[in-house]
Amino acid sequence: MTGSAYRESTDRLAGMLMRQAAWPAALVVAANVLAPLAASARGAFETWPAAVALSLAAASAVAVLALSALLAFDALLFRLMASHDDETSGGAAVDDILAGMRLKRLPPSTRSLDERMAGTRRLLTRQRAALGLFVAMLLAAGFWAPR
């Protein structure tokens, strides 16, 4: 893919990734600020199922935040790709950056935009699964908390 269609689709993907990185992270941070207040007021730490659920919620919160950071990094890499005229030169620039940061070895050939997008979609799926686990564990802690 070349030209303005390539730049538009890559830039649109980068914008979507930034939104998908931001809102789950904001939700997790807000819930982590408010949940302990509600849990201690209701005595949620007094029962072991609620305490376990809150511990699992905390672990999944860390996973959501880490995956959000990875998605934001991917969004910046896609913005870098969008600054180039075609897919090949944009992919080569990203590969050079990643190799320079020692995050990946320089590949023998550049991956296509579709392959890069597939990897990012896998990250999105993992982030949503971690977010689902986080919400489920918060609800479970509320269910097991004493009345």
Side-chain angles (χ1 to χ4, degrees):
M1 195 183 317
T2 60
S4 64
Y6 159 73
R7 278 191 230 112
E8 282 180 27
S9 68
T10 309
D11 200 36
R12 191 172 42 251
L13 175 67
M16 184 270 303
L17 286 176
M18 275 302 209
R19 286 187 300 279
Q20 293 299 318
W23 74 264
L27 179 72
V28 164
V29 168
N32 276 328
V33 168
L34 298 175
L37 298 174
S40 63
R42 292 185 64 197
F45 296 108
E46 294 174 10
T47 63
W48 70 267
V52 168
L54 286 173
S55 298
L56 289 173
S60 61
V62 170
V64 170
L65 293 175
L67 290 165
S68 290
L70 285 173
L71 287 170
F73 184 67
D74 273 4
L76 294 174
L77 292 175
F78 280 113
R79 290 232 193 259
L80 174 65
M81 284 182 74
S83 69
H84 288 77
D85 291 333
D86 61 354
E87 186 176 340
T88 306
S89 64
V94 167
D95 289 340
D96 287 341
I97 291 284
L98 292 175
M101 294 173 73
R102 295 185 184 185
L103 295 174
K104 279 191 169 183
R105 293 178 192 238
L106 200 57
S109 64
T110 58
R111 292 184 304 153
S112 69
L113 181 61
D114 291 334
E115 289 174 318
R116 292 174 193 273
M117 288 169 51
T120 300
R121 283 192 192 102
R122 284 190 295 274
L123 280 177
L124 267 172
T125 302
R126 290 177 185 150
Q127 181 203 38
R128 290 184 180 153
L131 182 63
L133 179 64
F134 174 74
V135 170
M137 289 299 105
L138 279 184
L139 292 174
F143 176 75
W144 280 312
R147 306 269 184 265

